[in-house]
Amino acid sequence: MRTHNNVILETMIRLVLFIIILFSVYIFFAGHYYPGGGFIGGLMTAGAIVLMLIAYDIKTVSIILPFNYRIMTGIGLLFAIGTSAGAIFFNVPFLTHAFGHIVLPVLGDISLHTATLFDLGVYLVVVGVTMTIIQTIGEDE
Amino acid sequence: MLDTVIHIALFCLALSMIGLIYRVIKGPSIPDRVIALDAIGINLIAIIALISIVLKTNAFLEVILLLGILAFIGTVAFSKYLEKGVIFERERDR
């Protein structure tokens, strides 16, 4: 039998969570031209997951989001090292980034930059490290 | 004209923040302090909005939304700790 009843919080979380995650994704993609970037975007995504952990519990959240955050940190580091080491194969120094305008069928003319992939690595590392710290402390008795 | 109005508003917000800081220090119970900290966060949002009008920039608008979200998360975490003693439950009682 459930002794605690927090209907207001759980209903609120369902609405607010999408706004927070959308905001974090916006701040991640706007990082090239406006304030923001991978670090603060990753922290906001981790904040959304923390809000979910507060409203539900650790077991439910691990069912909703079945990620191993240590592997996520490793994938983020692989993205960072991959985009920086990829420059070596084009006879340019390490960490040289390239960009170009590409015409896609629906989106039209967009400028793609490999620094975005590096930023994606930062994003994954920040989410992974933050959630590893919080889950490790939270599961401690 | 607008500049004067904004400076008066900033002064009033600073005064209300002093009142809230008094409540944080003096507050007889923990919930008083939590509510005062939440209101300080909201006041900070208002101050950032007014400062961004003074500086004629829209680079701080992300900070406003960010502070709103962070104040909400912090207050919810504090309230859950005060009510149940833990912030993250391992397994919910069903």
Side-chain angles (χ1 to χ4, degrees), chain A residues 102-110:
Chain A
I102 292 173
V103 178
L104 290 180
V106 180
L107 299 170
D109 179 42
I110 57 171

Side-chain angles (χ1 to χ4, degrees), chain B residues 7-21 43 47:
Chain B
H7 280 95
I8 291 168
L10 275 173
F11 182 71
C12 294
L13 282 168
L15 273 185
S16 70
M17 268 182 97
I18 287 172
L20 287 165
I21 289 168
N43 262 3
I47 286 178

Side-chain angles (χ1 to χ4, degrees), chain A:
Chain A
M1 186 191 130
R2 287 180 66 180
T3 51
H4 298 291
N5 186 1
N6 39 12
V7 176
I8 296 177
L9 180 63
E10 288 179 10
T11 314
M12 184 92 177
I13 293 303
R14 278 171 207 166
L15 286 171
V16 169
L17 210 64
F18 289 106
I19 300 172
I20 298 177
I21 289 178
L22 201 64
F23 178 59
S24 74
V25 170
Y26 161 73
I27 228 169
F28 168 72
F29 280 111
H32 201 74
Y33 296 105
Y34 297 105
F39 183 76
I40 189 70
L43 275 183
M44 283 321 290
T45 308
I49 302 172
V50 164
L51 206 53
M52 211 149 65
L53 278 173
I54 290 172
Y56 302 110
D57 57 323
I58 290 175
K59 203 178 173 192
T60 313
V61 172
S62 69
I63 292 168
I64 297 169
L65 296 170
F67 298 140
N68 187 343
Y69 293 105
R70 295 175 194 87
I71 293 175
M72 188 187 266
T73 311
I75 291 172
L77 287 173
L78 274 181
F79 263 105
I81 198 101
T83 49
S84 33
I88 291 177
F89 299 110
F90 297 99
N91 286 324
V92 283
F94 188 70
L95 271 172
T96 306
H97 288 286
F99 80 102
H101 288 268
I102 292 173
V103 178
L104 290 180
V106 180
L107 299 170
D109 179 42
I110 57 171
S111 72
L112 291 174
H113 203 296
T114 52
T116 309
L117 288 175
F118 190 83
D119 225 19
L120 186 65
V122 174
Y123 178 88
L124 289 174
V125 168
V126 169
V127 173
V129 168
T130 313
M131 291 317 297
T132 306
I133 291 170
I134 286 171
Q135 275 193 341
T136 314
I137 293 173
E139 284 172 353
D140 205 34
E141 282 286 313

Side-chain angles (χ1 to χ4, degrees), chain B residues 10 14 19 31 55 62-63 69 80 94:
Chain B
L10 275 173
L55 297 178
E62 278 93 354
V63 181
I69 293 167
K80 184 155 181 191
R94 292 183 179 278

Side-chain angles (χ1 to χ4, degrees), chain A residues 34-35, chain B residues 47-64:
Chain A
Y34 297 105
Chain B
I47 286 178
I48 290 168
L50 289 173
I51 290 284
S52 72
I53 295 173
V54 169
L55 297 178
K56 292 185 175 58
T57 173
N58 55 5
F60 298 144
L61 297 186
E62 278 93 354
V63 181
I64 292 171

